[in-house]
Amino acid sequence: MKKHLNKLLFGSHDPEKFKIPSSTSQFTKISNVWNSSQYHDFGIERFFRLFLVSSKVFFPVIYIELLTRNLPAHSKKIYGEFYVIFKTLVPFIILFYGLWDHYWLYVINIYLLIETFLYVFNKIFLPEHNYKALANRSMILLFFNFFEVIASFGVIYAAGNYLNQPVSTWIDALYFSFITGATIGYGDFYPINETGKILVIVQVMSTISFLLLFFNFFAPRSQDINRGLNSGTE
């Protein structure tokens, strides 16, 4: 069974020889930012970086890293992926079963959404995705994060009275959240109060953040491709 599971997760590669750069503990990252050992920043940029790198101590991901610190690098990455998938499934489950009126589930949804926002800003301002071997993996995880944000905002819209008509089904909540996140806005659903408008603004800002991060991934990779083409023609 273990052999087949390894085959499913790692293909034909030997998991013991799977080359992934070793990860740095979050407390080391905080120390690096504090001591300016990797970033030569000052002023508001420095405050923002310190806030981002320190904020992770309030969320589960850092403690998952601590619990798996003695495992091989590839196993730690797999646990991280399972956590991302779990976070993505939570709002979809809340929507599908109409559980948005359960206060504690609503709070968990907001909590995980905040963690994802901070994760995206960490990726933008504290980039750790410069390893070519992990580029595709990071892109896939970002798509999971994007759909998590879409579903999480769907839970928020369903739980409140922010729109011109009630959100009575999970598909209505998901639909409005998706067209808002995609900046389409057909006009059949729209916010009617200040809270709803603020939520829409925040969600559109999240879309812009994801776009910035996607471009941050694609730009270096396209440059590498162009270098390869140019070297091949010389």
Side-chain angles (χ1 to χ4, degrees):
M1 183 66 182
K2 183 178 179 181
K3 179 181 178 181
H4 292 299
L5 183 60
N6 284 335
K7 179 75 172 179
L8 176 64
L9 292 175
F10 304 107
S12 299
H13 299 282
D14 181 358
E16 299 302 324
K17 299 178 180 178
F18 208 75
K19 299 296 183 183
I20 294 178
S22 58
S23 58
T24 306
S25 74
Q26 191 64 28
F27 298 105
T28 302
K29 295 174 186 177
I30 294 173
S31 177
N32 288 339
V33 175
W34 178 257
N35 295 319
S36 301
S37 58
Q38 292 182 339
Y39 304 98
H40 303 290
D41 50 12
F42 60 91
I44 192 170
E45 181 184 9
R46 177 166 174 78
F47 279 110
F48 192 54
R49 277 208 172 103
L50 284 171
F51 164 73
L52 287 177
V53 75
S54 302
S55 64
K56 282 191 173 183
V57 301
F58 300 104
F59 298 97
V61 65
I62 185 175
Y63 303 105
I64 293 174
E65 292 175 356
L66 284 174
L67 290 172
T68 59
R69 64 185 181 277
N70 295 323
L71 295 177
H74 66 275
S75 297
K76 291 191 286 187
K77 297 296 182 184
I78 292 295
Y79 277 104
E81 290 174 0
F82 283 154
Y83 180 60
V84 171
I85 294 172
F86 165 76
K87 286 177 55 181
T88 304
L89 289 175
V90 167
F92 279 99
I93 292 172
I94 293 174
L95 283 174
F96 185 78
Y97 290 102
L99 303 174
W100 51 75
D101 290 330
H102 290 69
Y103 179 75
W104 64 277
L105 287 176
Y106 182 82
V107 170
I108 290 174
N109 178 71
I110 298 294
Y111 175 75
L112 296 177
L113 179 60
I114 292 173
E115 182 187 24
T116 300
F117 273 138
L118 292 173
Y119 168 79
V120 171
F121 283 114
N122 265 276
K123 284 291 187 181
I124 294 173
F125 293 98
L126 298 167
E128 300 169 348
H129 54 269
N130 297 323
Y131 303 109
K132 293 181 181 179
L134 299 182
N136 289 333
R137 173 185 175 274
S138 297
M139 285 291 295
I140 293 171
L141 292 180
L142 276 178
F143 276 108
F144 275 100
N145 292 139
F146 179 73
F147 286 111
E148 177 206 340
V149 170
I150 294 293
S152 296
F153 271 101
V155 173
I156 296 173
Y157 295 130
N161 298 312
Y162 310 121
L163 307 180
N164 61 311
Q165 51 183 302
V167 178
S168 55
T169 65
W170 68 272
I171 193 65
D172 284 343
L174 201 58
Y175 162 77
F176 176 72
S177 182
F178 185 81
I179 64 172
T180 301
T183 66
I184 299 173
Y186 290 120
D188 46 354
F189 287 90
Y190 54 86
I192 57 172
N193 52 41
E194 290 184 357
T195 304
K197 292 174 182 176
I198 291 172
L199 287 172
V200 168
I201 291 172
V202 172
Q203 185 172 6
V204 172
M205 288 177 62
S206 75
T207 299
I208 295 172
S209 299
F210 274 104
L211 288 175
L212 286 173
L213 192 49
F214 285 139
F215 286 131
N216 200 15
F217 270 110
F218 278 124
R221 297 177 71 187
S222 62
Q223 291 173 4
D224 291 339
I225 292 172
N226 289 332
R227 289 194 194 100
L229 291 175
N230 291 334
S231 62
T233 57
E234 291 178 356

